Amino acid sequence: MMTRAVYPGSFDPITNGHEDIIRRAAGIFDELVVAVLNNSSKNPLFTVEEKLDMINEIVGDLGNVEVKAFDGLLVDFVHKENAGVIVRGMRAVTDFEYELQWAQTNRVVSPDLDTVFLTTNLKYSYLSSSVVKEIARYHGDISQFVNPCIIDRITGKFSAGR
Ligand code: PNS
């Protein structure tokens, strides 16, 4: 049986921590859909199209990974994709309560779905898209946090004249 999994997130922008989870999940599951939340109320820095482009560029080498946008409920998207597993990264205990609540809620709503947590590479356990944006906003060096091919796109969002 093929296992198809969905790795959802805001990816505003994709970090090295996200990339690590995608690469590991792609090795565990037969097929992986990276699902980018399309939710304007979160006031994202990047458009969904920009996020899809960046993720595709970074993990486009993985043959069993697709990158798609979604809106509405995650469980509805997972069903539509004929997937059975939701993948989330767990960085620290501070992620735990929020993740547990949603994993349990999603299971009550959709008992056919399971959430699988991958513990983040220790190298990236402090890392978040918010940290990347905060450092880029003040023109700090983000080269340790994101893939080199998207650095200019991030710093460009904070350069003068925009
Ligand atoms: O990267 P994030 O911001 O932690 O990802 C959160 C995300 C996108 C997984 C979550 O907000 C989501 O699934 N939103 C869609 C609406 C929904 O189904 N919410 C409940 C499940 S978490």
Side-chain angles (χ1 to χ4, degrees):
M1 207 186 83
M2 297 274 280
T3 310
R4 187 167 165 85
V6 171
Y7 176 45
S10 303
F11 302 106
D12 190 42
I14 178 174
T15 67
N16 285 340
H18 294 129
E19 179 180 350
D20 176 60
I21 297 284
I22 294 170
R23 292 188 180 280
R24 285 159 59 203
I28 295 169
F29 301 104
D30 297 304
E31 299 172 342
L32 183 71
V33 179
V34 179
V36 180
L37 180 66
N38 188 1
N39 178 357
S40 50
S41 72
K42 274 200 169 180
N43 197 17
L45 180 62
F46 292 96
T47 67
V48 167
E49 290 70 30
E50 290 173 319
K51 293 177 186 182
L52 297 174
D53 274 356
M54 289 189 283
I55 300 170
N56 270 317
E57 249 179 77
I58 291 169
V59 297
D61 58 306
L62 299 169
N64 62 339
V65 174
E66 293 170 87
V67 187
K68 297 184 176 183
F70 81 103
D71 51 27
L73 281 180
L74 174 60
V75 290
D76 291 340
F77 176 78
V78 176
H79 282 144
K80 205 181 75 193
E81 286 294 319
N82 291 315
V85 175
I86 297 165
V87 177
R88 293 285 287 171
M90 185 81 78
R91 286 170 297 196
V93 72
T94 41
D95 284 337
F96 181 77
E97 259 184 83
Y98 171 86
E99 294 296 335
L100 182 69
Q101 180 179 25
W102 275 115
Q104 290 176 330
T105 306
N106 285 341
R107 241 188 105 68
V108 169
V109 177
S110 302
D112 57 320
L113 302 182
D114 271 302
T115 302
V116 169
F117 294 101
L118 295 186
T119 54
T120 312
N121 187 322
L122 279 180
K123 251 175 22 189
Y124 306 127
S125 61
Y126 60 90
L127 189 54
S128 67
S129 299
S130 307
V131 162
V132 171
K133 284 182 280 195
E134 190 69 6
I135 292 177
R137 184 183 314 278
Y138 299 108
H139 311 294
D141 178 9
I142 57 169
S143 61
Q144 294 189 69
F145 309 138
V146 300
N147 190 290
C149 76
I150 65 167
I151 291 178
D152 288 351
R153 264 170 280 185
I154 300 167
T155 56
K157 289 279 182 186
F158 297 108
S159 57
R162 261 188 51 88

